[in-house]
Protein backbone atom coordinates (compact mmCIF):
# COMPACT_ATOMS: atom_id res chain seq x y z
CA UNK A 1 0.00 0.00 0.00
CA UNK A 2 2.79 2.46 0.95
CA UNK A 3 4.74 1.49 -2.18
CA UNK A 4 1.74 2.29 -4.40
CA UNK A 5 1.22 5.66 -2.71
CA UNK A 6 4.90 6.57 -3.21
CA UNK A 7 4.66 5.62 -6.91
CA UNK A 8 1.49 7.71 -7.23
CA UNK A 9 3.24 10.69 -5.59
CA UNK A 10 6.14 10.54 -8.07
CA UNK A 11 3.76 10.29 -11.04
CA UNK A 12 1.62 13.20 -9.80
CA UNK A 13 4.74 15.35 -9.25
CA UNK A 14 6.70 14.24 -12.34
CA UNK A 15 7.59 17.78 -13.63
CA UNK A 16 8.86 18.80 -10.21
CA UNK A 17 10.95 15.62 -9.87
CA UNK A 18 12.46 16.02 -13.36
CA UNK A 19 13.34 19.66 -12.63
CA UNK A 20 14.99 18.65 -9.37
CA UNK A 21 17.02 15.84 -11.02
CA UNK A 22 18.18 18.08 -13.91
CA UNK A 23 19.19 20.84 -11.46
CA UNK A 24 21.26 18.38 -9.44
CA UNK A 25 22.96 16.99 -12.58
CA UNK A 26 23.79 20.49 -13.86
CA UNK A 27 25.31 21.45 -10.53
CA UNK A 28 27.45 18.31 -10.61
CA UNK A 29 28.46 18.69 -14.27
CA UNK A 30 29.51 22.37 -14.28
CA UNK A 31 32.54 21.98 -11.95
CA UNK A 32 33.65 18.88 -13.87
CA UNK A 33 33.56 20.59 -17.27
CA UNK A 34 35.49 23.59 -15.93
CA UNK A 35 38.48 21.33 -15.25
CA UNK A 36 38.12 19.17 -18.37
CA UNK A 37 40.28 19.74 -21.44
CA UNK A 38 39.63 17.46 -24.39
CA UNK A 39 43.10 18.18 -25.85
CA UNK A 40 44.64 16.29 -22.95
CA UNK A 41 42.94 13.16 -24.27
CA UNK A 42 42.89 13.67 -28.04
CA UNK A 43 45.40 15.71 -29.97
CA UNK A 44 43.51 16.80 -33.08
CA UNK A 45 45.77 19.73 -34.00
CA UNK A 46 47.41 17.81 -36.87
CA UNK A 47 44.16 16.61 -38.47
CA UNK A 48 42.81 18.36 -41.55
CA UNK A 49 39.48 20.15 -41.50
CA UNK A 50 37.95 17.62 -43.93
CA UNK A 51 38.90 14.65 -41.75
CA UNK A 52 37.61 16.38 -38.62
CA UNK A 53 34.34 17.15 -40.42
CA UNK A 54 34.01 13.56 -41.64
CA UNK A 55 34.75 12.10 -38.20
CA UNK A 56 32.26 14.50 -36.63
CA UNK A 57 29.59 13.44 -39.12
CA UNK A 58 30.24 9.74 -38.50
CA UNK A 59 30.23 10.27 -34.76
CA UNK A 60 27.02 12.29 -34.99
CA UNK A 61 25.32 9.63 -37.13
CA UNK A 62 26.32 6.88 -34.69
CA UNK A 63 25.17 8.82 -31.66
CA UNK A 64 21.95 9.89 -33.43
CA UNK A 65 21.24 6.30 -34.48
CA UNK A 66 21.82 4.99 -30.98
CA UNK A 67 19.51 7.59 -29.46
CA UNK A 68 16.86 6.96 -32.12
CA UNK A 69 17.00 3.22 -31.41
CA UNK A 70 16.82 3.81 -27.67
CA UNK A 71 13.92 6.24 -28.14
CA UNK A 72 11.97 3.86 -30.39
CA UNK A 73 12.54 0.93 -28.02
CA UNK A 74 11.49 3.01 -25.03
CA UNK A 75 8.40 4.30 -26.83
CA UNK A 76 7.30 0.77 -27.82
CA UNK A 77 7.90 -0.48 -24.30
CA UNK A 78 5.86 2.39 -22.84
CA UNK A 79 2.99 1.74 -25.25
CA UNK A 80 2.95 -1.95 -24.31
CA UNK A 81 3.11 -1.09 -20.62
CA UNK A 82 0.28 1.43 -21.00
CA UNK A 83 -1.89 -1.13 -22.82
CA UNK A 84 -1.18 -3.82 -20.20
CA UNK A 85 -1.88 -1.55 -17.23
CA UNK A 86 -5.03 -0.09 -18.79
CA UNK A 87 -6.28 -3.64 -19.33
CA UNK A 88 -5.52 -4.45 -15.68
CA UNK A 89 -7.43 -1.40 -14.56
CA UNK A 90 -10.53 -2.17 -16.63
CA UNK A 91 -10.68 -5.93 -16.06
CA UNK A 92 -9.37 -6.27 -12.49
CA UNK A 93 -9.17 -3.08 -10.43
CA UNK A 94 -12.40 -1.36 -11.53
CA UNK A 95 -14.72 -4.40 -11.13
CA UNK A 96 -13.33 -4.99 -7.63
CA UNK A 97 -13.52 -1.31 -6.67
CA UNK A 98 -17.05 -0.83 -8.03
CA UNK A 99 -18.38 -3.85 -6.13
CA UNK A 100 -16.66 -2.98 -2.84
CA UNK A 101 -17.69 0.68 -3.11
CA UNK A 102 -21.34 -0.30 -3.65
CA UNK A 103 -21.22 -2.56 -0.59
CA UNK A 104 -19.23 -0.20 1.64
CA UNK A 105 -20.74 3.18 0.80
CA UNK A 106 -24.31 2.23 -0.13
CA UNK A 107 -25.55 -1.10 1.20
CA UNK A 108 -23.75 -0.99 4.57
CA UNK A 109 -24.85 2.60 5.14
CA UNK A 110 -28.47 1.45 4.86
CA UNK A 111 -27.95 -1.78 6.81
CA UNK A 112 -24.68 -1.63 8.81
CA UNK A 113 -24.90 -5.11 10.36
CA UNK A 114 -26.13 -7.46 7.62
CA UNK A 115 -27.03 -11.03 8.45
CA UNK A 116 -27.04 -12.29 4.84
CA UNK A 117 -23.75 -12.37 2.92
CA UNK A 118 -22.98 -14.52 -0.12
CA UNK A 119 -20.15 -15.07 -2.63
CA UNK A 120 -22.50 -16.19 -5.41
CA UNK A 121 -24.42 -13.73 -7.58
CA UNK A 122 -28.13 -13.95 -6.82
CA UNK A 123 -30.53 -14.27 -9.77
CA UNK A 124 -32.54 -11.33 -8.41
CA UNK A 125 -31.78 -7.90 -6.91
CA UNK A 126 -31.92 -7.91 -3.11
CA UNK A 127 -30.83 -4.76 -1.26
CA UNK A 128 -30.50 -6.69 2.02
CA UNK A 129 -28.17 -9.32 0.53
CA UNK A 130 -24.45 -8.49 0.47
CA UNK A 131 -22.89 -10.14 -2.60
CA UNK A 132 -19.12 -10.50 -2.97
CA UNK A 133 -18.70 -12.03 -6.43
CA UNK A 134 -16.04 -10.13 -8.42
CA UNK A 135 -12.99 -11.57 -6.64
CA UNK A 136 -14.05 -15.20 -7.09
CA UNK A 137 -14.70 -14.57 -10.79
CA UNK A 138 -11.21 -13.11 -11.19
CA UNK A 139 -9.64 -16.04 -9.31
CA UNK A 140 -11.18 -18.57 -11.70
CA UNK A 141 -9.70 -17.14 -14.92
CA UNK A 142 -6.39 -15.86 -16.32
CA UNK A 143 -6.83 -12.40 -14.80
CA UNK A 144 -5.69 -13.81 -11.45
CA UNK A 145 -2.14 -14.25 -12.86
CA UNK A 146 -1.89 -10.47 -13.37
CA UNK A 147 -3.11 -9.47 -9.90
CA UNK A 148 -0.28 -7.91 -7.83
CA UNK A 149 0.62 -9.90 -4.71
CA UNK A 150 -0.22 -7.08 -2.32
CA UNK A 151 -3.73 -6.83 -3.80
CA UNK A 152 -4.16 -10.61 -3.52
CA UNK A 153 -3.17 -10.41 0.14
CA UNK A 154 -5.53 -7.51 0.78
CA UNK A 155 -8.50 -9.27 -0.85
CA UNK A 156 -7.85 -12.54 0.97
CA UNK A 157 -7.56 -10.66 4.28
CA UNK A 158 -10.87 -8.94 3.51
CA UNK A 159 -12.61 -12.28 2.90
CA UNK A 160 -11.20 -13.64 6.19
CA UNK A 161 -12.67 -10.68 8.11
CA UNK A 162 -16.03 -11.24 6.37
CA UNK A 163 -16.01 -14.92 7.38
CA UNK A 164 -15.08 -14.01 10.95
CA UNK A 165 -18.01 -11.59 11.09
CA UNK A 166 -20.41 -14.23 9.72
CA UNK A 167 -19.19 -16.80 12.28
CA UNK A 168 -19.55 -14.32 15.15
CA UNK A 169 -23.27 -13.91 14.37
CA UNK A 170 -24.18 -17.58 14.83
CA UNK A 171 -25.14 -17.23 18.50
CA UNK A 172 -26.25 -13.59 18.37
CA UNK A 173 -29.98 -14.10 17.80
CA UNK A 174 -30.23 -16.68 20.56
CA UNK A 175 -28.26 -14.44 22.93
CA UNK A 176 -30.50 -11.40 22.36
CA UNK A 177 -33.67 -13.46 22.84
CA UNK A 178 -32.25 -15.00 26.00
CA UNK A 179 -31.31 -11.58 27.44
CA UNK A 180 -34.75 -10.20 26.62
CA UNK A 181 -36.59 -12.95 28.49
CA UNK A 182 -34.18 -12.80 31.41
CA UNK A 183 -34.83 -9.06 31.82
CA UNK A 184 -38.60 -9.49 31.38
CA UNK A 185 -38.69 -12.28 33.97
CA UNK A 186 -36.64 -10.34 36.53
CA UNK A 187 -38.43 -7.03 36.06
CA UNK A 188 -42.00 -7.94 35.08
CA UNK A 189 -42.34 -11.68 35.73
CA UNK A 190 -43.33 -12.32 32.11
CA UNK A 191 -41.75 -13.58 28.86
CA UNK A 192 -41.80 -12.89 25.13
CA UNK A 193 -43.07 -15.57 22.72
CA UNK A 194 -41.45 -14.18 19.55
CA UNK A 195 -38.78 -16.83 19.03
CA UNK A 196 -37.07 -14.99 16.14
CA UNK A 197 -37.02 -11.68 18.05
CA UNK A 198 -33.22 -11.74 18.07
CA UNK A 199 -33.05 -11.97 14.26
CA UNK A 200 -34.87 -8.78 13.42
CA UNK A 201 -33.83 -6.85 16.57
CA UNK A 202 -30.08 -7.55 16.24
CA UNK A 203 -29.33 -4.34 14.32
CA UNK A 204 -31.02 -2.22 17.01
CA UNK A 205 -28.88 -3.91 19.65
CA UNK A 206 -25.61 -3.65 17.73
CA UNK A 207 -26.23 0.03 17.00
CA UNK A 208 -27.33 0.59 20.63
CA UNK A 209 -30.26 2.52 19.17
CA UNK A 210 -32.44 2.35 22.31
CA UNK A 211 -35.39 1.35 20.10
CA UNK A 212 -38.31 0.66 22.43
CA UNK A 213 -38.67 -3.13 22.74
CA UNK A 214 -42.30 -2.82 23.87
CA UNK A 215 -43.28 -1.35 20.50
CA UNK A 216 -42.42 -4.80 19.11
CA UNK A 217 -43.38 -7.26 21.86
CA UNK A 218 -46.35 -5.73 23.70
CA UNK A 219 -48.83 -8.21 22.16
CA UNK A 220 -46.57 -11.23 22.65
CA UNK A 221 -46.07 -11.31 26.43
CA UNK A 222 -47.09 -14.30 28.53
CA UNK A 223 -48.69 -13.54 30.86
CA UNK A 224 -49.90 -10.21 29.48
CA UNK A 225 -49.10 -7.35 31.86
CA UNK A 226 -49.95 -3.67 32.07
CA UNK A 227 -46.79 -1.55 31.99
CA UNK A 228 -46.58 2.20 32.58
CA UNK A 229 -44.23 4.38 30.50
CA UNK A 230 -41.71 4.86 33.30
CA UNK A 231 -41.34 1.11 33.76
CA UNK A 232 -41.05 0.59 30.00
CA UNK A 233 -38.16 3.05 29.86
CA UNK A 234 -36.47 1.39 32.85
CA UNK A 235 -36.79 -2.13 31.42
CA UNK A 236 -35.69 -0.93 27.97
CA UNK A 237 -32.51 0.59 29.44
CA UNK A 238 -31.72 -2.58 31.40
CA UNK A 239 -32.16 -4.66 28.25
CA UNK A 240 -29.71 -2.55 26.21
CA UNK A 241 -27.20 -2.31 29.08
CA UNK A 242 -27.25 -6.09 29.48
CA UNK A 243 -26.79 -6.61 25.74
CA UNK A 244 -23.86 -4.17 25.69
CA UNK A 245 -22.08 -6.26 28.36
CA UNK A 246 -22.66 -9.54 26.50
CA UNK A 247 -19.41 -11.09 25.24
CA UNK A 248 -21.26 -12.39 22.17
CA UNK A 249 -22.55 -8.92 21.25
CA UNK A 250 -19.12 -7.40 21.89
CA UNK A 251 -17.48 -10.04 19.69
CA UNK A 252 -19.84 -9.29 16.78
CA UNK A 253 -19.04 -5.57 17.07
CA UNK A 254 -15.28 -6.27 17.13
CA UNK A 255 -15.44 -8.56 14.10
CA UNK A 256 -17.58 -6.00 12.26
CA UNK A 257 -15.04 -3.28 13.02
CA UNK A 258 -12.19 -5.43 11.64
CA UNK A 259 -14.23 -6.09 8.51
CA UNK A 260 -14.89 -2.38 7.93
CA UNK A 261 -11.23 -1.42 8.46
CA UNK A 262 -9.95 -4.07 6.05
CA UNK A 263 -12.58 -3.19 3.45
CA UNK A 264 -11.67 0.51 3.68
CA UNK A 265 -7.97 -0.34 3.34
CA UNK A 266 -8.64 -2.50 0.25
CA UNK A 267 -10.73 0.26 -1.33
CA UNK A 268 -7.92 2.76 -0.75
CA UNK A 269 -5.40 0.39 -2.36
CA UNK A 270 -7.61 -0.11 -5.42
CA UNK A 271 -8.22 3.64 -5.68
CA UNK A 272 -4.45 4.27 -5.60
CA UNK A 273 -3.81 1.66 -8.31
CA UNK A 274 -6.51 3.13 -10.56
CA UNK A 275 -5.32 6.73 -10.07
CA UNK A 276 -1.72 5.73 -10.77
CA UNK A 277 -2.66 4.17 -14.13
CA UNK A 278 -4.92 7.08 -15.05
CA UNK A 279 -2.18 9.66 -14.43
CA UNK A 280 0.82 7.73 -15.79
CA UNK A 281 -0.68 6.10 -18.87
CA UNK A 282 -3.93 7.79 -19.83
CA UNK A 283 -3.61 11.53 -19.22
Amino acid sequence: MKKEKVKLFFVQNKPLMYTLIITILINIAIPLFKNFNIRTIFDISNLSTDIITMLSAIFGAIVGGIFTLIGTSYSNKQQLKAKTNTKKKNLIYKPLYDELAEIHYVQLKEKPFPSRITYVKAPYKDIDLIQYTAWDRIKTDSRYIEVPNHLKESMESLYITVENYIDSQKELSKEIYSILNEVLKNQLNTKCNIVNFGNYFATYVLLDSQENIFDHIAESLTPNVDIDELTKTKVNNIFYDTCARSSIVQNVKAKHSNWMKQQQSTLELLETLIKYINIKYEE
Side-chain angles (χ1 to χ4, degrees):
M1 182 65 176
K2 287 182 180 178
K3 178 183 174 184
E4 297 304 326
K5 286 189 175 181
V6 169
K7 286 169 66 179
L8 179 60
F9 172 80
F10 277 103
V11 170
Q12 288 176 325
N13 298 278
K14 190 187 295 182
L16 176 63
M17 300 308 298
Y18 283 165
T19 303
L20 182 62
I21 291 169
I22 291 170
T23 303
I24 292 171
L25 291 174
I26 290 173
N27 280 284
I28 293 172
I30 287 174
L32 293 176
F33 278 112
K34 281 182 178 179
N35 300 319
F36 180 73
N37 187 351
I38 193 168
R39 290 182 180 274
T40 61
I41 301 175
F42 302 106
D43 185 5
I44 60 173
S45 58
N46 296 321
L47 295 178
S48 67
T49 304
D50 290 341
I51 293 174
I52 292 174
T53 302
M54 181 183 69
L55 290 174
S56 298
I58 292 171
F59 179 75
I62 292 171
V63 172
I66 290 171
F67 277 104
T68 299
L69 183 63
I70 292 172
T72 303
S73 176
Y74 177 78
S75 176
N76 290 338
K77 194 176 290 184
Q78 286 299 105
Q79 287 178 5
L80 180 61
K81 193 179 286 186
K83 185 177 179 181
T84 301
N85 280 280
T86 301
K87 182 180 175 183
K88 268 188 188 180
K89 184 193 78 170
N90 293 331
L91 298 181
I92 298 174
Y93 304 153
K94 280 185 93 290
L96 287 173
Y97 182 87
D98 291 344
E99 180 179 270
L100 293 185
E102 171 72 17
I103 291 170
H104 198 74
Y105 299 121
V106 179
Q107 288 184 276
L108 292 177
K109 291 299 180 186
E110 296 178 3
K111 193 167 185 178
F113 291 90
S115 57
R116 299 166 59 225
I117 301 174
T118 183
Y119 304 109
V120 180
K121 191 169 183 63
Y124 52 87
K125 186 172 179 61
D126 186 346
I127 191 65
D128 292 330
L129 179 65
I130 303 297
Q131 301 178 66
Y132 287 98
T133 62
W135 181 234
D136 281 344
R137 291 199 306 273
I138 289 170
K139 286 171 69 176
T140 57
D141 61 40
S142 59
R143 287 177 294 173
Y144 187 68
I145 301 170
E146 300 183 52
V147 179
N149 286 333
H150 53 294
L151 179 56
K152 288 179 183 177
E153 291 169 5
S154 189
M155 286 302 303
E156 292 302 330
S157 295
L158 172 60
Y159 272 45
I160 288 171
T161 62
V162 173
E163 284 299 314
N164 289 341
Y165 169 75
I166 293 171
D167 289 342
S168 72
Q169 284 197 318
K170 288 178 179 177
E171 301 296 322
L172 181 63
S173 176
K174 182 179 176 182
E175 174 76 351
I176 292 172
Y177 184 56
S178 175
I179 290 172
L180 173 67
N181 277 328
E182 180 185 349
V183 171
L184 290 175
K185 179 181 178 182
N186 293 339
Q187 299 298 318
L188 301 171
N189 199 27
T190 186
K191 64 177 287 190
C192 173
N193 295 322
I194 306 175
V195 179
N196 67 339
F197 172 82
N199 285 333
Y200 75 85
F201 215 75
T203 299
Y204 294 126
V205 169
L206 293 167
L207 290 174
D208 195 23
S209 67
Q210 301 297 314
E211 171 77 10
N212 194 327
I213 58 175
F214 293 101
D215 290 343
H216 301 268
I217 66 170
E219 304 299 322
S220 304
L221 298 178
T222 304
N224 193 15
V225 291
D226 292 326
I227 313 168
D228 59 67
E229 291 302 316
L230 190 61
T231 302
K232 285 182 180 180
T233 301
K234 175 188 172 184
V235 172
N236 202 61
N237 290 338
I238 293 172
F239 167 73
Y240 278 100
D241 289 345
T242 307
C243 286
R245 293 193 300 271
S246 164
S247 61
I248 292 176
V249 173
Q250 290 174 357
N251 186 48
V252 173
K253 289 182 178 180
K255 294 297 188 289
H256 178 271
S257 177
N258 291 339
W259 171 24
M260 292 300 100
K261 287 176 183 175
Q262 182 58 38
Q263 188 154 269
Q264 182 65 48
S265 175
T266 305
L267 276 165
E268 288 174 3
L269 172 58
L270 287 164
E271 182 180 354
T272 301
L273 290 167
I274 292 169
K275 282 183 176 180
Y276 176 79
I277 292 170
N278 286 343
I279 293 170
K280 187 170 178 65
Y281 299 110
E282 296 184 4
E283 287 188 354

